[in-house]
Amino acid sequence: MTEASSRAERIRTAVDIGGTFTDVFIQRGDGTIVTAKYPTQADPIEGVLAGMKQAGVSWEDVEFFSHGTTIATNALITRRFPRVAMVTTEGFRDVLEIRRGDRESWDPYDEVAPPIVSRRHRLTVRERIGYDGKVLQALDEDHARDIARILRRREVEAVAVCFVNSFTNPEHEELMAEILQEELPGVSVTTSSDVLPEIFEYERFSTTVANAALVPIIGPYARTLEGRLSESGYANDVLLLHSGGGVMTPAMAERYGARLAASGIAAGAIASRHIARMCGFENSIGFDMGGTSTDVSLTDDGVLGTTNRWSVEFGHPICFPSIEVLTIGAGGGSIAWLDDAGSLRNGPQSAGSDPGPACYGMSGADATNTDANLILGTVGRKLAGGVRELDESQARAAVERIAAPLGLDADTAAQSIIKVANANMADAIRLISIRKGHDPRDFALVGFGGAGPLHAAYLAKDLGIPTVIIPPHPGVTSAMGCMLVDVQHDLTTMYLADAAEVDLGHLAESFRKLQAEGRERLVAEHVAEQDMVFEYYVDTRYMGQWRAIAVPVTMPLTSLDDVVATFHTQHHKEHNYADEQAGVEIYRISVRAIGVTPKPTVEPAQLIDPAEFTPVPIEVRRVLFPDESTRLDTPVYDRAHLPAGAILDGPCIVDQLDSTTVVPPRTTAQVDEWGNLLLRPAV
């Protein structure tokens, strides 16, 4: 075997499972990109294997596999959990329901769902740790064993141990976990001092309970996936994308299942930042519209927005670090419906992949965005390279059921359905940009997902965004994002101290302990020493505040003057206020342990002279664009035949295996050297 052929066979692959399709992104050793889309299966692992088979790749040739999955997200949404219990300190049984004692949101649609653990399965034990970590009341071990026996009779499958003030001293939680493991062999036990050793018991309890509920789901899934891939010939680590924008192995997923609750969502945000920066944009908005939902992210000055408090279900926070992504129920399968007042609505209900939109011909009767686009002509009669044949008569029948009560014909109703969907998605972009002090006109919009390129140009027009970037493989961009990430663990501990009086030696030692734990995790995941990177952060706040801002620090620590100065600057940027005379305190410290993985590379193509290229359409379609009154003769181009530098004048449609890009009238599209389509208003 020659060196060139050996290099070509070293394959890197990533798979992202969405609500409708399982997306496969593959890069061969010679740089060739292969993509595939396969309908998501009831057993997600079958979809992974089938998608790879469709792509024609042998697992023996794969050297890297990264995976984004919605299994944890779906479990939280559908509440299909094993039987979960919680053991807590006497007097704290109802923290999950009391929460913070406020409404949190005045939106009448934001209703807090019941806690994951019912009150019957929340049991208390006699123990107490003080705020300073001192034992005020020793754990009553006889009482603890009685609790364990009760849970055994109730046949619980997972237990969350959440003691008050355990973040300062985990001794009692660790002892309770030992007792539970002795009395309940085979039952998963999660302690809050391991999952989230931080103050604020409501957030800590909520995160720990979510983790306890998901570990029995994620653990077996990860191990089964690992086993199935090994049987198929894959001989390396299985890497699972987590919400913080890194990956972890099945061994870590078994311990921190809740970190996967925003797995696939984070991949799209990472990919959109990468693509925008390749095109020269440090400010970008990621717009990922799939079959079920739309995910919006924002990158400011090259930095993705992050959050330490997020949720899948309103009112039940998960406080692992996460890339900040706003998700709404707007996708190709989102259902159009009429409310009680007779007004047209769109989503968040979705037809999903089974039965899917009416045009799928699988007994789905509801009109969806895909049905509307098919009627308008912006979508052709085949999806995913012919994997899915679309029936326009079924789509028209479904849309007519919406049109009749409104006194509209099917074409006008289809236009209206798309306009409502676009308005919903534009509002989501406003929330993540304007609401946070960003002007969307200063950003590029990266439109991807199977349906994103269909709608991106209209959203940009509505928001005044000057440039839309459509990646080369928009339908599998999130899968590509899985390939761009590193092994990553975020470790935190409380550290309350006045920044002006802190003992730098003690602070450095606290960082060293977190780093040691991070190193231990990376070693367990087979990361080589030379590939380990550690980042250090100090969460700071003004005295008397409870919101904190994470400020990066460098080692060795010699002073916190730069940290304090950066805090004032960041506080002014985020809140339009800073007081350099006010006292600043440290609230928490964290270490990000990173295992660097090789990244895919793409060579830029030579740009042609657009004046010397005349694109040849594969067909001319009569299309009714949402903002037009009549159908227009619209050329449809095969994206695979558009060279770098080619310029298209709208209206036109660019078709490819994994998506369709709409270039509306009075818009131009140019292929750049990286294969992206850049859409801009015509001059």
Side-chain angles (χ1 to χ4, degrees):
M1 182 183 295
T2 67
E3 182 181 348
S5 63
S6 175
R7 186 168 57 251
E9 290 180 3
R10 290 203 294 269
I11 294 171
R12 296 170 57 79
T13 186
V15 178
D16 179 55
I17 299 177
T20 306
F21 285 101
T22 294
D23 301 330
V24 179
F25 185 91
I26 295 162
Q27 185 178 47
R28 296 185 180 275
D30 60 4
T32 304
I33 301 295
V34 179
T35 64
K37 293 181 79 71
Y38 195 85
T40 295
Q41 304 295 295
D43 179 358
I45 296 175
E46 291 298 331
V48 172
L49 297 174
M52 288 289 286
K53 183 177 180 181
Q54 179 179 303
V57 172
S58 171
W59 284 103
E60 288 89 346
D61 298 328
V62 177
E63 67 171 3
F64 176 92
F65 174 77
S66 181
H67 176 40
T69 175
T70 57
I71 185 170
T73 313
N74 292 340
L76 289 170
I77 291 172
T78 61
R79 294 196 151 230
R80 293 176 181 168
F81 301 126
R83 184 171 294 174
V84 188
M86 182 179 85
V87 179
T88 188
T89 308
E90 280 191 342
F92 291 84
R93 183 183 187 185
D94 296 316
V95 163
L96 292 178
E97 286 177 290
I98 295 171
R99 305 192 312 281
R100 291 208 155 272
D102 58 9
R103 178 82 173 91
E104 291 191 54
S105 169
W106 294 108
D107 187 333
Y109 293 101
D110 285 340
E111 291 294 335
V112 179
I116 290 173
V117 182
S118 65
R119 195 171 194 274
R120 177 174 184 266
H121 295 312
R122 300 197 299 264
L123 306 182
T124 64
V125 65
R126 290 185 288 274
E127 71 84 34
R128 192 60 184 260
I129 299 287
Y131 73 94
D132 55 359
K134 294 179 180 178
V135 176
L136 302 181
Q137 180 179 4
L139 175 68
D140 187 329
E141 295 189 40
D142 291 336
H143 189 200
R145 291 190 183 277
D146 289 340
I147 295 296
R149 293 175 187 125
I150 292 171
L151 296 179
R152 184 172 59 207
R153 289 196 298 271
R154 294 182 181 179
E155 299 180 339
V156 300
E157 299 170 68
V159 183
V161 181
C162 304
F163 290 168
V164 68
N165 294 330
S166 62
F167 66 93
T168 63
N169 181 350
E171 176 185 338
H172 287 177
E173 281 197 351
E174 291 171 353
L175 179 54
M176 185 73 221
E178 290 177 11
I179 292 171
L180 289 169
Q181 287 161 349
E182 290 173 9
E183 299 287 342
L184 304 171
V187 170
S188 171
V189 179
T190 299
T191 64
S192 74
S193 54
D194 177 51
V195 169
L196 192 73
E198 298 180 11
I199 201 171
F200 296 136
E201 57 268 15
Y202 163 50
E203 287 80 359
R204 177 159 50 89
F205 287 18
S206 176
T207 303
T208 305
V209 165
N211 195 75
L214 291 173
V215 162
I217 298 171
I218 294 297
Y221 171 80
R223 287 302 186 190
T224 301
L225 175 65
E226 187 176 48
R228 294 288 298 277
L229 297 193
S230 178
E231 291 169 4
S232 300
Y234 180 62
N236 296 302
D237 288 330
V238 171
L239 299 176
L240 302 169
L241 184 75
H242 61 67
S243 59
V247 287
M248 59 172 59
T249 61
M252 286 298 164
E254 285 182 309
R255 185 173 168 185
Y256 303 111
R259 294 219 66 179
L260 270 66
S263 174
I265 296 173
I270 293 165
S272 68
R273 176 184 64 175
H274 174 77
I275 291 162
R277 298 186 77 178
M278 286 179 66
C279 296
F281 294 94
E282 291 295 309
N283 291 352
S284 61
I285 295 171
F287 166 58
D288 178 6
M289 182 181 179
T292 306
S293 62
T294 290
D295 303 319
V296 182
S297 60
L298 186 139
T299 299
D300 178 31
D301 198 21
V303 179
L304 267 169
T306 59
T307 179
N308 285 321
R309 192 180 193 276
W310 51 281
S311 64
V312 174
E313 282 190 306
F314 174 74
H316 297 289
I318 296 174
C319 295
F320 289 128
S322 174
I323 292 173
E324 188 170 20
V325 179
L326 177 61
T327 300
I328 65 169
S334 292
I335 295 170
W337 53 285
L338 302 178
D339 64 18
D340 291 341
S343 298
L344 178 62
R345 303 285 185 176
N346 193 294
Q349 307 92 327
S350 175
S353 58
D354 185 8
C359 60
Y360 280 16
M362 296 171 58
S363 75
D366 295 313
T368 67
N369 292 329
T370 298
D371 296 307
N373 276 312
L374 179 61
I375 290 171
L376 297 179
T378 48
V379 165
R381 299 192 179 185
K382 292 183 179 180
L383 284 183
V387 171
R388 183 78 70 186
E389 296 273 352
L390 304 184
D391 186 336
E392 185 176 344
S393 63
Q394 296 275 15
R396 192 166 289 276
V399 171
E400 284 174 347
R401 284 191 285 273
I402 292 291
L406 297 172
L408 304 174
D409 57 61
D411 285 1
T412 306
Q415 285 181 305
S416 301
I417 288 170
I418 297 304
K419 287 180 180 179
V420 173
N422 287 343
N424 290 342
M425 293 182 288
D427 282 345
I429 293 175
R430 290 186 182 97
L431 286 175
I432 206 166
S433 58
I434 297 173
R435 185 180 183 181
K436 293 180 176 294
H438 302 289
D439 187 338
R441 294 173 295 184
D442 297 332
F443 291 74
L445 182 67
V446 184
F448 59 102
L454 279 166
H455 298 258
Y458 294 104
L459 303 188
K461 179 183 177 183
D462 188 16
L463 295 162
I465 297 174
T467 302
V468 174
I469 304 169
I470 307 297
H473 309 284
V476 295
T477 296
S478 288
M480 183 191 78
C482 295
M483 201 180 287
L484 297 170
V485 297
D486 298 311
V487 176
Q488 178 182 309
H489 297 285
D490 297 280
L491 303 103
T492 66
T493 188
M494 299 304 300
Y495 195 100
L496 294 171
D498 187 330
E501 300 176 0
V502 67
D503 182 336
L504 292 179
H506 186 268
L507 179 59
E509 176 62 18
S510 298
F511 271 122
R512 189 199 64 76
K513 290 179 180 178
L514 289 180
Q515 181 193 26
E517 184 179 347
R519 185 183 301 278
E520 183 180 324
R521 293 190 190 183
L522 294 178
V523 168
E525 295 183 305
H526 314 296
V527 176
E529 182 72 28
Q530 65 269 21
D531 294 328
M532 295 183 185
V533 175
F534 298 93
E535 297 176 354
Y536 308 88
Y537 298 88
V538 173
D539 284 21
T540 48
R541 62 188 183 184
Y542 287 120
M543 295 286 188
Q545 279 190 325
W546 65 274
R547 289 187 178 89
I549 293 175
V551 178
V553 298
T554 56
M555 294 293 170
L557 276 174
T558 57
S559 169
L560 291 184
D561 292 345
D562 289 344
V563 171
V564 172
T566 301
F567 165 73
H568 288 307
T569 301
Q570 286 296 110
H571 197 278
H572 189 275
K573 184 175 182 178
E574 292 190 24
H575 304 289
N576 199 32
Y577 168 80
D579 183 357
E580 296 186 6
Q581 305 306 313
V584 175
E585 69 175 349
I586 297 173
Y587 162 67
R588 171 178 55 197
I589 64 173
S590 59
V591 171
R592 179 169 294 162
I594 300 171
V596 179
T597 61
K599 305 297 185 296
T601 57
V602 179
E603 293 297 324
Q606 186 70 36
L607 295 173
I608 65 163
D609 182 350
E612 298 178 359
F613 175 75
T614 302
V616 178
I618 55 177
E619 66 170 306
V620 176
R621 194 184 298 161
R622 294 283 290 172
V623 176
L624 179 60
F625 292 90
D627 294 335
E628 303 297 318
S629 58
T630 59
R631 289 184 180 267
L632 303 175
D633 289 332
T634 304
V636 179
Y637 301 106
D638 184 344
R639 187 165 183 178
H641 296 155
L642 298 177
I647 295 178
L648 307 174
D649 293 319
C652 66
I653 289 173
V654 181
D655 210 0
Q656 61 190 106
L657 168 72
D658 55 333
S659 189
T660 297
T661 301
V662 171
V663 184
R666 299 169 293 281
T667 305
T668 62
Q670 182 171 15
V671 184
D672 72 2
E673 65 268 38
W674 307 107
N676 301 294
L677 273 176
L678 304 182
L679 277 59
R680 296 185 174 99
V683 178

